[in-house]
Amino acid sequence: MTRTGFVLAQLFHRKTRTSLTLLSVVAAFVLFGLLQALNLVFSAGADFVGATRLVVQSRVSFTQSLPLRMVPEMDAIPGVQAVMFQQWFGAKFREDTQIFAFAVEPERLHKVYPEWVMPEEHWQAFRDTRTGMIVGRVLADKYGWKVGDKIPVQSTIFPQKDGSKDWTFDLVGIYDGIDEQWQRQTVGGMYINHAYFQEASQFGGNMAGIIVLRLEDPDMAESIATLVDKRYENSPDETKTQTEKDFNVGFVKQLGDIGLIVRWILFAVFFTLLLVVGNTMAQSVRERIPQLAVLKTLGFTDNAVLGLVLAETFALCAIGGLVGLGLATLLGIIVAQAAGPMLPIAIDARVWLAGLVAIVLLTLAVGLLPALRARRLRIVDALAGR
Amino acid sequence: MSEPLVQIRQLTKHYTRGKQKVEVLHGIDLDIGRGDFVALMGPSGSGKTTLLNLIGGLDTPTAGSVSVDGKRIDQFKAGELARWRAEHVGFVFQFYNLLPVLSAQKNVELPLLLRKMGGAERAKRAQVALSLVGLAERAGHKPSELSGGQEQRVAIARALVTDPTLLVCDEPTGDLDRKTADEILGLLQVLNREHGKTIIMVTHDPKAAEYAARTVHLDKGLLVDAAPAH
């Protein structure tokens, strides 16, 4: 018999109770893994973009458009290398499949977002084809689109001049991300040629949802943002200029503070778990007081007994936690496959690391008090049932 | 008497129960020789289990001294005392106190977890101890699958497995029928006579005391007399 074997044998001295507790730990860590991964998905957009771009939006809301006349004014700002604008198109493909589609000027997009990589002839085709459209690789793969296809989409906002909201575009290019993180962002991207949109749409052609400035020097971000906002202060089109990262975070928060929601759910889950596992361990130690006294009689020191109880708690939390995270990883794969690229959920090393920290914290939170009680017990009193 | 293994001088023990102070032992002097088999007898509350606990290092005295094999165990700190118990004392209880989730073999191996030795060596020693008490073939059984007498034999094997200097038994036959009790007492006698184990046994039972080489009587926390060896 090894010490580990002894700890496990002690842990399962009440098989049903330990198994049920273990199940609750597993369930909690499945939730933990999935929610943590969800949190990462929603915060991922903000993590890898730098301060080399500023996003200008209406001070009121990004749903309020800005006039296109601002674009050349921003072109002229010293320190601004390139400017692009985009208008939210609100595309739907087939039934209710929402796609992130924007009307853009191809050349401006190319200059401001070098992270989108595509053969030069495709960029050229995008510039030259008024009904042209480019899409991200993941999105194209999802629907099996290829260059040359005609893609019918429906705008949820903009009707054509004949009143129809059905639009058809020519797929002239499929872009990739410059690295793995940007590649993941090709999940929802669809760009249409703004010139065609301006010409064919009943309204909105002279407006932009946001204007993006690519800076020569990231250190100038603050001064240029201040300059832009000052320039349009007290005008009908007051602006709010922020880094791309801040904009992305703000965009996600339009849906609600996912991180906060996830933290509250996890807090509730772990608080319940704390009570369940804490009660199990307290009860387990209480009913084994004579046995713990026997261990001390045999020569186990107070600290050794404390260590044994903590080891039992750790075993319970670790087995449950690791099984839970393992299941969450499998479920994550299933969910990611079912949801497709719109929810690229993945239980990666960061989630596992957070899970391991949670296991250790849970062990200490629920195991320390029973362990201290076991450490304190006096042999003669415990053996006499006092 | 052989050379004293246990030397007790002016041993006093008081307990505090709530606001009440209970005086259990009052200045006891006692020597127990190496290889001796001593029965501690006396009425309930006479202090015999308290005395046994003090000799076995399970408790510390209020005053006086307890020396075992030349070491003043009353001066040991808790950790030292625990390590000393692991090294030098084997305990046998009235209700066996085996761990129910472990097999007989693993119960016997338990004290060896405190020693630096491999699993195979632990298992081998436990098998030897179980053979010594005649239970080798029940090694895989859990306590719930054993009779009272067999459980007590496992407890004795557990006490012996570390080859302790001293075997301390608290009413080892108190929960057994006469026949089984005689078997257990016979086993203790063999361990004393043939293996030279020093045994101190608390008992209410005069018949059990007859197996000991010497009987010490306590009453109200004082030694009354010491009966000669049988």
Side-chain angles (χ1 to χ4, degrees):
Chain A
M1 181 174 62
T2 59
R3 282 194 177 212
T4 309
F6 177 54
V7 166
L8 291 176
Q10 289 289 89
L11 176 62
F12 284 93
H13 83 284
R14 288 269 187 272
K15 285 192 180 69
T16 310
R17 187 179 62 201
T18 303
S19 301
L20 289 173
T21 308
L22 205 52
L23 273 180
S24 55
V25 179
V26 169
F29 273 87
V30 168
L31 264 179
F32 175 85
L34 289 174
L35 289 174
Q36 197 69 14
L38 195 66
N39 197 16
L40 286 176
V41 167
F42 280 99
S43 60
D47 283 345
F48 64 98
V49 291
T52 54
R53 280 185 287 258
L54 290 177
V55 176
V56 185
Q57 64 167 80
S58 164
R59 187 170 189 79
V60 179
S61 158
F62 70 86
T63 57
Q64 181 89 26
S65 294
L66 296 169
L68 284 187
R69 62 174 162 73
M70 285 181 171
V71 176
E73 291 167 10
M74 292 189 192
D75 276 330
I77 296 173
V80 173
Q81 196 178 61
V83 178
M84 72 155 277
F85 58 89
Q86 63 182 38
Q87 179 66 293
W88 171 252
F89 183 69
K92 271 197 326 186
F93 180 64
R94 293 178 187 153
E95 283 303 298
D96 281 321
T97 312
Q98 182 81 40
I99 296 172
F100 284 21
F102 303 97
V104 296
E105 261 187 28
E107 188 55 31
R108 287 184 180 276
L109 172 72
H110 192 23
K111 282 185 179 159
V112 172
Y113 279 94
E115 291 87 352
W116 298 144
V117 180
M118 194 164 63
E120 194 48 45
E121 61 266 30
H122 289 179
W123 281 113
Q124 192 57 47
F126 191 28
R127 283 181 209 112
D128 296 345
T129 312
R130 293 179 75 75
T131 55
M133 172 178 89
I134 60 171
V135 297
R137 175 73 59 194
V138 178
L139 185 64
D141 289 347
K142 181 183 177 189
Y143 293 117
W145 292 338
K146 51 191 184 303
V147 173
D149 286 354
K150 283 196 176 295
I151 312 295
V153 294
Q154 207 179 36
S155 174
T156 53
I157 305 169
F158 300 106
Q160 297 200 53
K161 291 222 162 76
D162 63 4
S164 165
K165 285 189 174 178
D166 294 330
W167 297 67
T168 302
F169 297 100
D170 295 300
L171 185 58
V172 294
I174 294 171
Y175 61 85
D176 288 288
I178 197 165
D179 58 25
E180 199 186 323
Q181 284 179 313
W182 280 94
Q183 185 67 7
R184 277 194 227 127
Q185 302 303 308
T186 64
V187 57
M190 172 187 277
Y191 293 106
I192 59 170
N193 197 324
H194 188 269
Y196 175 56
F197 168 73
Q198 196 172 29
E199 177 188 293
S201 177
Q202 260 187 21
F203 58 90
N206 291 318
M207 306 296 279
I210 58 168
I211 299 169
V212 185
L213 316 182
R214 186 174 176 201
L215 309 181
E216 286 168 2
D217 179 0
D219 292 341
M220 296 174 77
E222 195 177 343
S223 61
I224 291 177
T226 309
L227 181 77
V228 171
D229 290 345
K230 280 261 179 217
R231 174 175 288 185
Y232 298 103
E233 205 171 39
N234 297 322
S235 78
D237 301 300
E238 283 194 309
T239 58
K240 180 180 171 187
T241 306
Q242 56 197 323
T243 63
E244 191 178 20
K245 181 174 177 172
D246 289 341
F247 174 79
N248 286 349
V249 169
F251 181 78
V252 169
K253 284 189 175 175
Q254 300 287 324
L255 303 171
D257 190 337
I258 301 296
L260 186 69
I261 294 167
V262 166
R263 279 195 293 278
W264 272 108
I265 296 173
L266 286 177
F267 175 76
V269 169
F270 274 89
F271 183 72
T272 312
L273 194 63
L274 218 65
L275 299 181
V276 172
V277 182
N279 182 52
T280 300
M281 287 316 297
Q283 211 174 333
S284 172
V285 166
R286 199 163 48 239
E287 68 196 13
R288 282 186 301 146
I289 279 177
Q291 293 178 32
L292 293 168
V294 169
L295 290 181
K296 287 194 174 187
T297 301
L298 296 178
F300 284 77
T301 60
D302 292 343
N303 286 336
V305 171
L306 175 130
L308 279 174
V309 175
L310 274 181
E312 276 179 48
T313 317
F314 178 72
L316 181 67
C317 298
I319 294 170
L322 294 177
V323 170
L325 288 172
L327 285 175
T329 305
L330 290 176
L331 279 173
I333 293 168
I334 294 167
V335 169
Q337 279 171 353
M342 293 303 284
L343 189 61
I345 193 168
I347 284 85
D348 59 14
R350 290 169 297 175
V351 177
W352 276 84
L353 190 65
L356 295 179
V357 171
I359 286 170
V360 172
L361 291 179
L362 185 66
T363 299
L364 291 175
V366 300
L368 208 52
L369 280 179
L372 284 172
R373 183 182 180 183
R375 184 186 188 279
R376 276 196 302 265
L377 67 86
R378 292 186 69 240
I379 298 172
V380 287
D381 289 339
L383 288 177
R386 288 193 284 265
Chain B
M1 191 196 288
S2 54
E3 180 194 341
L5 175 72
V6 180
Q7 282 191 316
I8 293 167
R9 295 290 176 266
Q10 288 303 300
L11 190 66
T12 302
K13 182 68 185 177
H14 299 164
Y15 285 119
T16 306
R17 294 269 170 264
K19 288 179 182 172
Q20 207 178 358
K21 187 175 163 189
V22 184
E23 299 192 2
V24 188
L25 297 174
H26 313 280
I28 284 180
D29 291 326
L30 178 66
D31 286 350
I32 297 171
R34 197 178 293 273
D36 208 350
F37 185 174
V38 177
L40 291 177
M41 292 193 73
S44 295
S46 59
K48 49 190 191 304
T49 295
T50 300
L51 178 58
L52 194 74
N53 288 341
L54 291 169
I55 295 170
L58 296 181
D59 205 354
T60 49
T62 309
S65 67
V66 181
S67 300
V68 180
D69 210 8
K71 287 184 183 129
R72 285 282 302 272
I73 65 166
D74 57 287
Q75 294 176 337
F76 283 175
K77 289 178 181 164
E80 286 175 297
L81 206 51
R83 281 184 282 278
W84 176 81
R85 282 196 304 271
E87 200 72 29
H88 295 100
V89 191
F91 292 89
V92 180
F93 303 97
Q94 179 179 359
F95 297 109
Y96 333 126
N97 283 340
L98 300 175
L99 300 200
V101 289
L102 302 180
S103 64
Q105 165 87 22
K106 286 179 178 170
N107 263 290
V108 178
E109 282 184 38
L110 202 51
L112 298 177
L113 283 180
L114 298 168
R115 304 278 174 99
K116 281 182 181 164
M117 64 173 68
E121 175 66 14
R122 270 198 291 269
K124 190 176 151 195
R125 287 204 191 186
Q127 278 158 15
V128 170
L130 280 170
S131 301
L132 200 62
V133 299
L135 271 184
E137 73 284 359
R138 308 301 299 268
H141 291 247
K142 289 196 173 166
S144 58
E145 298 159 350
L146 300 172
S147 69
Q150 288 171 328
E151 281 195 75
Q152 195 59 296
R153 281 171 186 269
V154 175
I156 291 170
R158 182 178 67 186
L160 288 173
V161 76
T162 55
D163 192 21
T165 318
L166 195 60
L167 212 54
V168 167
C169 311
D170 190 2
E171 300 272 10
T173 57
D175 198 42
L176 302 172
D177 59 60
R178 184 74 266 155
K179 183 172 171 291
T180 313
D182 284 338
E183 285 171 13
I184 294 296
L185 290 162
L187 177 62
L188 290 177
Q189 206 168 46
V190 167
L191 291 171
N192 172 245
R193 288 182 180 167
E194 294 179 17
H195 298 274
K197 292 292 167 200
T198 307
I199 301 175
I200 306 169
M201 174 178 72
V202 161
T203 183
H204 273 109
D205 179 6
K207 282 194 178 299
E210 285 175 11
Y211 284 84
R214 190 157 68 103
T215 303
V216 173
H217 289 272
L218 278 112
D219 193 18
K220 294 174 184 167
L222 290 167
L223 282 185
V224 179
D225 60 356
H230 296 283

